[in-house]
Amino acid sequence: VKQIFTASNIQPLKKELEAFLESIITQHPPLVTGEDGKAALAVAWQIINKIKDNQNNGKNISDCGRSFS
């Protein structure tokens, strides 16, 4: 299945803050929970650490099992 993603003029941080404020005003749960954010941050740190490990071992990103060319 091929998916096509397009960029838009939406400012992600602004939209995130607006959604958070809306959840406070309406007293509805936020679209993204603190646990969701924590999990996403953990994945991001794993990616960063893997890149650093590969750089320290003299590997290019294309040496990590899949070519991105």
Side-chain angles (χ1 to χ4, degrees):
V1 175
K2 183 177 182 179
Q3 291 182 325
I4 298 174
F5 296 96
T6 58
S8 66
N9 292 330
I10 296 173
Q11 297 175 350
L13 182 57
K14 181 180 178 183
K15 294 300 276 183
E16 183 179 339
L17 292 173
E18 288 172 348
F20 180 70
L21 289 173
E22 184 70 20
S23 72
I24 293 171
I25 292 167
T26 62
Q27 296 184 348
H28 288 97
L31 296 174
V32 179
T33 68
E35 288 299 316
D36 294 333
K38 185 178 175 182
L41 189 57
V43 170
W45 276 117
Q46 288 176 349
I47 292 167
I48 290 168
N49 289 330
K50 188 66 171 175
I51 290 169
K52 287 180 181 180
D53 289 346
N54 286 332
Q55 287 173 342
N56 291 336
N57 292 328
K59 293 182 181 179
N60 293 323
I61 194 163
S62 60
D63 296 335
C64 297
R66 180 174 176 189
S67 176
F68 291 96
S69 56

